[in-house]
């Protein structure tokens, strides 16, 4: 039986990624449009940006975010 996982369908992954970046850009996170940044940096930066601007709940965030060319997810999220 074939799996319908999106990891097996790169078109779904690309469409989802583009949709997320378009939503971030439309809501004011303009770095989502910076093509020289990789997708991971644009999305993580967008998440950090959104958390710090959420007005309905008091959020105290001390975020350390550094852009990197290193693609090792374990190193980047520690």
């Amino acid at each position: 039986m074939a799996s319908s996982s999106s990891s097996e369908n790169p078109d779904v992954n690309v469409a989802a990624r583009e949709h997320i970046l378009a939503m971030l850009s439309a809501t004011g996170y303009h770095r989502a449009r910076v093509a020289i940044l990789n997708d991971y940096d644009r999305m993580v930066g967008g998440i950090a940006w959104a958390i710090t601007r959420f007005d309905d709940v008091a959020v105290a965030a001390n975020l350390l975010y550094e852009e990197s060319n290193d693609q090792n997810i374990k190193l980047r999220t520690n």
Side-chain angles (χ1 to χ4, degrees):
M1 178 187 277
S3 172
S4 63
S5 171
S6 64
S7 64
E8 294 178 7
N9 188 344
D11 293 336
V12 172
N13 291 337
V14 170
R17 181 175 55 242
E18 293 303 319
H19 182 68
I20 291 167
L21 292 172
M23 286 190 302
L24 286 168
S25 180
T27 56
Y29 183 66
H30 301 294
R31 290 176 55 97
R33 294 182 290 197
V34 178
I36 61 171
L37 296 175
N38 63 39
D39 293 335
Y40 180 90
D41 287 331
R42 294 190 293 173
M43 285 191 216
V44 171
I47 291 167
W49 174 84
I51 289 170
T52 60
R53 282 152 182 80
F54 190 54
D55 293 332
D56 295 341
V57 177
V59 176
N62 184 5
L63 302 172
L64 174 61
Y65 174 73
E66 296 178 15
E67 293 174 19
S68 171
N69 290 329
D70 183 3
Q71 296 302 309
N72 186 334
I73 190 87
K74 290 180 182 178
L75 295 176
R76 296 179 66 142
T77 55
N78 283 333

